[in-house]
Amino acid sequence: MVAKILALVIFLVMFFFIVTEKFERHYVTLACGAVMLILVFGVCMRSPQAIFNTLNFHSIFTPDFWHASAEAGESTGGINWSTIIFIAGMMIMVEGMGKAGFFRWLCLKLAKLVNYQPVRIFVVFMLMSAFLSMFIDSITVILFLAAVTVELCQLLKCNPVPMILSEVFCANLGGSATMCGDPPNIIIGTSLHYAFSDFLTNTGLIAGISLIAVVIYFYICFHKQLAVKTGESAQPVHYPDPKEAITDPKLFGLSIGIFAIAVVLLITHANTGLTVAFIGVFVAILTLIVHHREIPELMQKVDYKTLLFFIGLFVVVGGLEQTGVLVLIADGISAVCGSNAKLMVAIILWVSAVASAFVDNIPFAATMIPVVQTLSQLQGVPLPTLAWTLSMGTDIGGSATPIGASANVVGISVASREGYPIGWGKYCKYCAPATVMVVAISMVCIYIRYF
């Protein structure tokens, strides 16, 4: 009992410091993870095996870690090294694409194709944000997209805030569609052994339906603000040339090729047996070979703080799992829901969405995975149904507030830096209703399809 209480206290302290942002979040999770290993596993439980299982280093050196011939037998507890390695590999690939000018070229190319009409750019950039976020981390997508949006809007003499708000929301929505689109999905997929195609045909379908509603919603909200006034031209005096964004044509072509390889490998990895860890390492190696002259710069730009944050987080959640705290939480939800599977889905979906609006959705998703596994065993509800519910709740809920997802923070920061501040009031006025709408659509889709 002492171990359970101490593990829960450490987890709550971790969450408090993550939310309050008094310290950088990777310091918080690493410190709490160290306390969990020493006090809970070492002092209270006196279990070297618990430490061994939570650190989970041994999994990296097994054939199943790289090829999924028997991946379903892999332990889901402790540090999920598949997630860490995959995210690191994709970070390197994305940095290589950015170095070659891919993202800036794509934004300017699409703007040129729609003749630099603000409303058309508004719609196209929403769709592009959602599509790119299916394969690339939404933070990276918004970082490049928001900067180009501000540049274009200054040329077109229109307010970039409506575009940035809609792009941020669509990035989070697009990320929910695939396994590699959002960190919670990567954790869910690698922990529960779901493939890229599993997400695409389940959460992807819900995201696709929701995207239609979202585009219509934001168009209704903002089209008048973006419309060209009578007597004014939407054409800038000097058009930005997309070709100028390409720093090196050869590297540009090779970077696109590597991205295409990554997409193909992710889509087919259920058939090839190649794990996401292998794919992450493979595309990273290809990127470093292509950008061999810039290896130190690319390696420096990798977000090591996020990787360390994940490692500490997995240790803390592993402590909750090893001590049985997560089983108690699952028992509590099970007692409230009884045998009502629809009520269980509603609770998981809306609680995940509300929680993710105010706290980081990554630790919440990591904490809930063992919970939904236990609920599935206790009540006989299919695990995939609960997994897709958790995915949509955590991915979409973060869109409701400025601090709910990292992409929101990045988008607002870029806008503020360029002189277009976005406060809580303005953000929530438009994005909170959109979030409620998408969560409601998700619940209806889950009920219709799985019950």
Side-chain angles (χ1 to χ4, degrees):
M1 180 57 70
V2 175
K4 287 185 174 66
I5 295 174
L6 185 56
L8 184 59
V9 169
I10 293 171
F11 175 78
L12 294 176
V13 169
M14 180 193 75
F15 241 111
F16 170 79
F17 282 110
I18 289 176
V19 173
T20 56
E21 298 181 341
K22 292 182 178 295
F23 304 98
E24 291 191 69
R25 63 179 189 170
H26 66 288
Y27 290 136
V28 173
T29 61
L30 288 174
C32 290
V35 173
M36 185 73 75
L37 291 174
I38 296 171
L39 292 185
V40 176
F41 296 155
V43 177
C44 295
M45 296 176 63
R46 297 181 182 178
S47 174
Q49 187 62 41
I51 297 175
F52 180 79
N53 291 338
T54 301
L55 294 178
N56 202 24
F57 287 120
H58 61 282
S59 66
I60 301 176
F61 303 101
T62 61
D64 297 336
F65 185 84
W66 305 102
H67 189 275
S69 58
E71 187 180 19
E74 180 188 346
S75 172
T76 58
I79 300 175
N80 188 331
W81 289 109
S82 293
T83 297
I84 305 296
I85 293 174
F86 174 69
I87 291 177
M90 294 298 284
M91 283 179 177
I92 293 173
M93 183 195 74
V94 167
E95 288 298 335
M97 293 173 68
K99 188 71 176 175
F102 171 78
F103 299 105
R104 179 173 169 78
W105 170 84
L106 180 61
C107 292
L108 295 178
K109 188 69 174 178
L110 290 176
K112 186 176 181 179
L113 287 174
V114 296
N115 297 318
Y116 295 96
Q117 296 295 318
V119 175
R120 293 179 184 177
I121 293 175
F122 172 67
V123 174
V124 169
F125 276 24
M126 274 195 287
L127 298 176
M128 178 176 61
S129 178
F131 177 76
L132 287 178
S133 296
M134 292 171 63
F135 307 100
I136 300 172
D137 180 66
S138 58
I139 301 173
T140 302
V141 172
I142 292 301
L143 188 62
F144 285 95
L145 189 54
V148 176
T149 297
V150 170
E151 177 187 351
L152 287 173
C153 287
Q154 288 174 342
L155 290 170
L156 299 171
K157 298 180 181 180
C158 62
N159 186 1
V161 171
M163 290 193 188
I164 292 175
L165 288 177
S166 61
E167 289 160 5
V168 165
F169 193 96
C170 288
N172 291 329
L173 181 58
S176 70
T178 65
M179 177 179 168
C180 61
D182 211 30
N185 285 11
I186 299 173
I187 297 172
I188 292 171
T190 54
S191 298
L192 303 181
H193 315 294
Y194 294 136
F196 184 94
S197 57
D198 294 326
F199 279 89
L200 192 62
T201 55
N202 290 279
T203 60
L205 180 61
I206 299 173
I209 295 171
S210 301
L211 181 60
I212 297 172
V214 166
V215 171
I216 294 172
Y217 167 80
F218 281 117
Y219 177 82
I220 293 172
C221 290
F222 295 129
H223 75 280
K224 291 183 179 180
Q225 298 182 38
L226 296 170
V228 179
K229 297 179 181 179
T230 305
E232 293 185 5
S233 172
Q235 303 285 358
V237 177
H238 298 290
Y239 299 116
D241 188 355
K243 293 181 180 179
E244 295 177 357
I246 301 175
T247 57
D248 185 320
K250 182 180 178 180
L251 290 179
F252 180 81
L254 290 173
S255 295
I256 293 178
I258 293 172
F259 177 59
I261 291 172
V263 172
V264 171
L265 290 177
L266 286 168
I267 292 175
T268 61
H269 82 95
N271 305 107
T272 62
L274 299 176
T275 65
V276 293
F278 177 90
I279 295 170
V281 170
F282 184 67
V283 297
I285 292 173
L286 288 180
T287 301
L288 294 176
I289 291 173
V290 168
H291 295 267
H292 61 277
R293 296 179 181 177
E294 301 158 334
I295 289 178
E297 183 179 352
L298 291 180
M299 296 305 294
Q300 286 177 2
K301 289 186 176 181
V302 172
D303 189 357
Y304 295 104
K305 293 181 179 180
T306 294
L307 300 178
L308 293 173
F309 164 75
F310 273 110
I311 291 172
L313 168 66
F314 283 131
V315 172
V316 174
V317 174
L320 295 180
E321 189 172 6
Q322 291 284 343
T323 56
V325 172
L326 297 181
V327 174
L328 295 178
I329 295 174
D331 288 340
I333 297 175
S334 181
V336 173
C337 299
S339 58
N340 191 333
K342 288 186 177 181
L343 178 59
M344 186 182 298
V345 164
I347 289 176
I348 292 174
L349 181 65
W350 287 98
V351 168
S352 299
V354 173
S356 297
F358 299 98
V359 300
D360 198 312
N361 59 2
I362 297 171
F364 185 86
T367 305
M368 286 297 294
I369 288 171
V371 174
V372 298
Q373 286 179 300
T374 305
L375 285 172
S376 176
Q377 295 169 359
L378 289 175
Q379 297 297 337
V381 181
L383 180 58
T385 301
L386 299 182
W388 311 140
T389 301
L390 176 63
S391 171
M392 293 306 299
T394 52
D395 291 341
I396 302 305
S399 299
T401 65
I403 61 171
S406 299
N408 311 3
V409 177
V410 170
I412 291 173
S413 297
V414 172
S416 299
R417 187 175 66 241
E418 298 296 333
Y420 301 94
I422 302 174
W424 269 72
K426 181 177 291 186
Y427 183 95
C428 295
K429 177 182 178 181
Y430 297 106
C431 292
T435 302
V436 173
M437 177 180 69
V438 173
V439 174
I441 291 172
S442 301
M443 187 169 70
V444 171
C445 290
I446 291 171
Y447 281 172
I448 291 175
R449 184 168 183 182
Y450 304 111
F451 292 99

